[in-house]
Amino acid sequence: MNFETYQKVTELCQTHNARLMIVTKNHPYESIEAFIEKGHTLFGENRVQETESKWEPILSEKQNLELHLIGPLQTNKVQNALELFDVIQTLDRPKLAIKIKECLEKSPARTTSFFIQVNTGEEPQKAGISKSEATDFITFCQQDLHLPIKGLMCIPPSEEDPAPHFSYLSRLAHHYHLPEVSMGMSNDYTIALENGATIVRIGSLIMGSRT
Ligand SMILES: *Cc1c(COP(=O)(O)O)cnc(C)c1O
């Protein structure tokens, strides 16, 4: 872990009115603890199962932590995810949205809001709703299902200039009056901040490489 970088990134986020999410996937709790003790509260994980074993004991103990799911969600894991995460950033298809709605009606949830993931690069292997379907899907989630949609999220194609993807996502969020725009990782977070990110998701730059 790299506190100097952590400090630097935190300050840059503050000047852009954005928040830093530390992505802790593949890192044990022992590596995360120091950031919690420094007062950091926003963390991201990409797997439900890994998050259950790693975070469940801590979440009940520390009240102010905010945990976001940033990896793909299977419908059979929705109930568990709703009990674990404050925000699910990877809502990306009608079937998943309907399942979430059903689960929310049946039992209490920790999750208070959702971001819609947009596949801005239209990459077939990547999660996210396609650009052409995004507007209908946002409307469906908001107006038909009444889900609390608070933002958009994207992961641009790794081999492309991310700036157009980031500015597209910002504009789409503005259009729908969604306050949160989750974009930018270790390699491109400065570009994301310049293009309107409100949350940058940073793993390796701060936590070191994942094994
Ligand atoms: C792993 C991951 C990150 C962090 O990636 P780094 O390059 O390590 O900063 C951000 N967003 C998502 C969706 C991820 O899966």
Side-chain angles (χ1 to χ4, degrees):
M1 76 197 76
N2 189 334
F3 282 121
E4 218 170 290
T5 308
Y6 169 71
Q7 208 58 47
K8 198 192 88 187
V9 177
T10 302
E11 279 161 23
L12 192 60
C13 285
Q14 278 164 357
T15 54
H16 286 87
N17 287 320
R19 294 195 294 160
L20 164 64
M21 166 190 291
I22 301 184
V23 177
T24 51
K25 65 187 185 202
N26 297 10
H27 288 282
Y29 181 64
E30 295 73 66
S31 313
I32 305 165
E33 205 169 11
F35 292 100
I36 296 178
E37 277 163 13
K38 268 184 168 283
H40 195 86
T41 55
L42 179 57
F43 295 92
E45 285 280 349
N46 70 338
R47 288 217 179 88
V48 174
Q49 231 164 353
E50 179 183 340
T51 309
E52 278 173 338
S53 54
K54 198 197 294 186
W55 285 94
E56 229 159 27
I58 306 135
L59 288 178
S60 51
E61 194 180 303
K62 310 232 186 216
Q63 302 298 323
N64 63 342
L65 291 178
E66 191 180 328
L67 196 57
H68 291 209
L69 178 65
I70 59 169
L73 179 57
Q74 315 277 294
T75 46
N76 64 355
K77 295 271 173 60
V78 165
Q79 187 56 46
N80 302 48
L82 289 171
E83 289 166 20
L84 205 51
F85 293 97
D86 296 282
V87 176
I88 291 173
Q89 291 201 2
T90 49
L91 179 52
D92 68 350
R93 56 197 192 278
K95 190 179 162 207
L96 178 61
I98 291 164
K99 178 72 182 182
I100 287 172
K101 179 69 176 174
E102 283 170 8
C103 288
L104 286 175
E105 280 170 350
K106 270 188 228 138
S107 31
R110 180 179 171 103
T111 308
T112 53
S113 58
F114 300 88
F115 296 1
I116 289 173
Q117 181 178 358
V118 183
N119 186 354
T120 60
E122 311 282 359
E123 296 171 282
Q125 82 286 5
K126 200 168 262 178
I129 191 89
S130 70
K131 273 160 78 169
S132 59
E133 292 169 313
T135 57
D136 281 351
F137 184 57
I138 295 168
T139 306
F140 173 68
C141 290
Q142 288 189 315
Q143 298 190 1
D144 297 355
L145 300 182
H146 302 288
L147 292 176
I149 307 298
K150 291 284 165 60
L152 301 178
M153 180 270 215
C154 78
I155 310 169
S158 49
E159 65 286 357
E160 281 180 35
D161 174 7
H165 297 271
F166 292 156
S167 66
Y168 167 81
L169 199 72
S170 281
R171 277 184 277 120
L172 191 60
H174 273 273
H175 183 77
Y176 284 93
H177 306 288
L178 300 172
E180 299 277 15
V181 187
S182 169
M183 58 193 194
M185 316 194 338
S186 291
N187 289 333
D188 54 14
Y189 75 97
T190 54
I191 304 166
L193 288 172
E194 286 158 12
N195 284 280
T198 64
I199 295 177
V200 294
R201 311 179 306 264
I202 300 193
S204 47
L205 185 67
I206 289 171
M207 297 297 296
S209 59
R210 294 178 284 271
T211 41

